[in-house]
Amino acid sequence: MTLPYNPDNFKQYQPVIEAYVKARDQAMQKFDPEFYAACIEKLPSQHELDTQPINATEFVTARYGLLSAKEAAIVNDFPLPELLSKQLSGQLTAVQIARAFIKSAIIAQLATNCVMEFLFPEALEKAASLDAYLQQHGTLRGPLHGIPVSLKEHMCMKGHVTHASYVSLLGNVTENTCVTIQMLADMGAVFHVRTSQPQAIMHLDTDNNIIGRTRNPCSTMLSPGGSSGGESAMIAMHGSVLGIGSDIGGSIRAPAAFANIYGLRPTSKRFSGMNAISGGKGQESVPATMGPLARSLDELDALMNYYVNESKPWLYDPTCIPLPWDTKPELPAKIRIGVLFSDHLVTPFPAVTNAMKHVTEKLAQLPEFEVVDLDPYWLSEEEMTQAIDTVCTLYICDGNRQQQELIHKSGEPLLALTEFFFNPYGGNDALSVYENRKLNLVRDNMRLQVFQRVFPHCDFILSPTYFAPSEQPHESFYWGYTSFWNLTDYPNVVFPTPYGHHVERDATIPTLRDNRYEKVAWNGPTGGQLRYDSSKYEGGPVALQLTGPRFRDETVVAAAKKITAAIGIDRR
């Protein structure tokens, strides 16, 4: 069923959009007018940022001149444990930390357009109360005392507008707070910013009709990924210590990969998503999950420990499983890394294949790893086609009814990737209960095939996160390297590599497969000429994905630590 859609309705929302964006921008100016003016004067123009491969992470260094040496040290040099210890010792206060990260968040916004709403007054008030608590009691309020945490905007906050990038919800002041936000607040976290997500929250890119496109900090002409692209940009710009995103098709992992940081998609039901807005509520065939993005695996691991073991999400959300986070996971003496260069459906771009080869060769030289080629054991092209057909169909099992209810009401223009999502590969009819159940059986069989055919040969699976390095804006057409794992619900960690796209080296096009997913990935949805132009990916990093058995998320993190140590990757 297609709901009425009248683009003329959008006109009445224009003043609302303008007021919303104006309030965000005024928050930056009001915080520190002199600092804001310096940023406007010194940073590149919006046109330059959109059209050139600018590394925006340079803007938060002391040498760039916007942050003082002390502020730059706070946002760049001190990991989570050190920020806590420096508060305990009196070397830093929560207010000093908050002010430094507010400044870097302002720089992040001006460079990448990643912010929906700033929370500066609340952040400073919370930080001051934490300082008072520490002074009075001589101890920290909780394990995240004074730690700036950024939040994907679709997570509800009581008393704040939460719209999830749906223009029709710009007046939606929510009465409840997302369970995860409340848990983090109780642990002492300071929330200073809510970040952007794309229209429909179902793109591996971040663009919407409220604030527009978010840029990639590593190369501003590229995409930051999606749908948690505002989070990946904020973390990569050192605008917060930790970020919370969500993932139903790659929405934590693709942004983490594109922005060259770390991300975890936990096994479902280990991290609460209660009280968040979604266009897919009630769809249970492909579970969504929230999870963290961070600049290091140690910080990601620490957050999961605090979140699961100390805060216990099952006490607040009955859908969460009461499974503790193992802080001392055991790994085999010789870790078998199963390597999947291709999913047998879409051929990766040269930069991704090169990164996979370099990492694999490095691991093969070390005695603690055994590298296993998974090509003989992996699903066939026909099986992978069925798997990706299934996940794409299950996303829109209601024929897009809920998405249309949220989008059509305002008449907001449908962005190209929204139209692509609504009509993937030519079909968007609502499923009958029988049809949905049949696809659930396909899903369950795919999960079983991985368990029976693949994991007997390896402990973990190393694969691309995405078939390209950081993608061009509006061109993220194939999700299979991430969405397959949403369908089967195996946990993943994304981690950076030392390797990125090289314009000359990665110009050669490999031999391609002859299937519709390959054509969409390499040619675009119209199936025209090859869209690959090596020069358009300049500055794009390549991050890889590690997958492990279900509910053994801790071991995946632990194994990823071993791999990143082996390839010389540390905190970003």
Side-chain angles (χ1 to χ4, degrees), residues 15-58:
V16 183
I17 293 173
E18 291 170 4
Y20 183 85
V21 174
K22 183 178 180 181
R24 179 200 64 181
D25 294 347
Q26 286 180 335
M28 292 189 287
Q29 299 172 40
K30 185 178 179 180
F31 172 73
D32 187 332
E34 185 176 340
F35 172 74
Y36 180 78
C39 290
I40 296 299
E41 180 181 359
K42 192 170 181 63
L43 293 172
S45 70
Q46 300 296 293
H47 176 73
E48 289 171 318
L49 291 165
D50 280 334
T51 58
Q52 298 179 23
I54 296 172
N55 180 2
T57 63
E58 290 292 318

Side-chain angles (χ1 to χ4, degrees), residues 152 154 201-202 204 226-228 244-256 263-266 268 286-291 293 395 465 479 482-483 485-487 489 492 494 545:
K152 191 174 180 179
H154 79 124
I201 332 179
M202 292 298 288
L204 291 191
S227 61
S228 307
I244 306 300
S246 57
D247 193 315
I248 194 173
S251 290
I252 289 172
R253 289 161 292 155
L264 168 68
R265 190 207 81 90
S268 64
V286 185
T289 181
M290 288 187 175
L293 298 92
Y395 286 142
T465 309
W479 307 5
T482 49
S483 64
W485 300 115
N486 295 92
L487 180 72
D489 195 23
N492 325 89
V494 164
Q545 177 176 231

Side-chain angles (χ1 to χ4, degrees), residues 36-98:
Y36 180 78
C39 290
I40 296 299
E41 180 181 359
K42 192 170 181 63
L43 293 172
S45 70
Q46 300 296 293
H47 176 73
E48 289 171 318
L49 291 165
D50 280 334
T51 58
Q52 298 179 23
I54 296 172
N55 180 2
T57 63
E58 290 292 318
F59 304 157
V60 295
T61 61
R63 62 180 173 272
Y64 193 79
L66 290 174
L67 298 179
S68 69
K70 183 174 183 179
E71 290 165 343
I74 290 172
V75 303
N76 296 320
D77 300 339
F78 304 148
L80 172 60
E82 197 165 351
L83 288 172
L84 295 173
S85 65
K86 286 184 180 298
Q87 290 179 84
L88 267 175
S89 67
Q91 294 174 271
L92 287 176
T93 67
V95 168
Q96 288 174 327
I97 294 170

Side-chain angles (χ1 to χ4, degrees), residues 281-504:
K281 280 194 176 295
Q283 184 278 111
E284 296 184 327
S285 296
V286 185
T289 181
M290 288 187 175
L293 298 92
R295 289 168 53 199
S296 73
L297 286 171
D298 285 340
E299 287 163 311
L300 189 153
D301 195 8
L303 175 66
M304 291 302 296
N305 174 28
Y306 301 150
Y307 182 90
V308 175
N309 292 340
E310 299 200 23
S311 201
K312 299 179 174 58
W314 53 86
L315 298 180
Y316 306 90
D317 180 350
T319 68
C320 288
I321 295 173
L323 178 65
W325 184 263
D326 188 353
T327 58
K328 296 181 179 180
E330 292 187 8
L331 293 173
K334 196 174 189 69
I335 304 169
R336 295 177 303 160
I337 303 294
V339 179
L340 192 67
F341 285 96
S342 164
D343 65 356
H344 289 173
L345 202 53
V346 168
T347 305
F349 284 5
V352 176
T353 299
N354 285 330
M356 285 287 297
K357 287 180 178 178
H358 284 305
V359 171
T360 301
E361 289 169 0
K362 180 68 175 177
L363 297 181
Q365 296 170 2
L366 300 174
E368 61 187 314
F369 296 103
E370 176 186 351
V371 172
V372 179
D373 182 2
L374 291 183
D375 189 73
Y377 313 113
W378 190 249
L379 284 67
S380 68
E381 184 173 359
E382 181 181 0
E383 289 170 315
M384 281 300 300
T385 299
Q386 184 184 31
I388 304 306
D389 283 351
T390 297
V391 71
C392 288
T393 304
L394 288 172
Y395 286 142
I396 59 170
C397 58
D398 67 346
N400 297 311
R401 176 66 182 262
Q402 286 196 73
Q403 291 280 7
Q404 289 177 4
E405 288 175 351
L406 290 164
I407 291 176
H408 287 200
K409 181 180 178 180
S410 70
E412 63 174 292
L414 290 180
L415 302 182
L417 287 179
T418 304
E419 292 194 77
F420 178 74
F421 168 71
F422 278 8
N423 191 36
Y425 313 104
N428 63 0
D429 294 332
L431 302 181
S432 68
V433 172
Y434 174 77
E435 290 169 328
N436 203 142
R437 286 182 174 181
K438 293 287 283 185
L439 291 182
N440 288 347
L441 290 176
V442 173
R443 173 203 62 194
D444 294 347
N445 180 59
M446 295 298 170
R447 180 186 298 145
L448 186 61
Q449 291 303 311
V450 173
F451 180 75
Q452 292 182 335
R453 287 166 48 181
V454 181
F455 272 119
H457 302 283
C458 63
D459 301 307
F460 302 98
I461 300 170
L462 179 67
S463 68
T465 309
Y466 183 73
F467 70 94
S470 306
E471 185 58 274
Q472 298 177 68
H474 316 132
E475 295 199 12
S476 299
F477 298 119
Y478 180 68
W479 307 5
Y481 282 95
T482 49
S483 64
F484 177 84
W485 300 115
N486 295 92
L487 180 72
T488 54
D489 195 23
Y490 287 90
N492 325 89
V493 167
V494 164
F495 60 90
T497 72
Y499 314 105
H501 181 79
H502 189 279
V503 174
E504 289 79 21

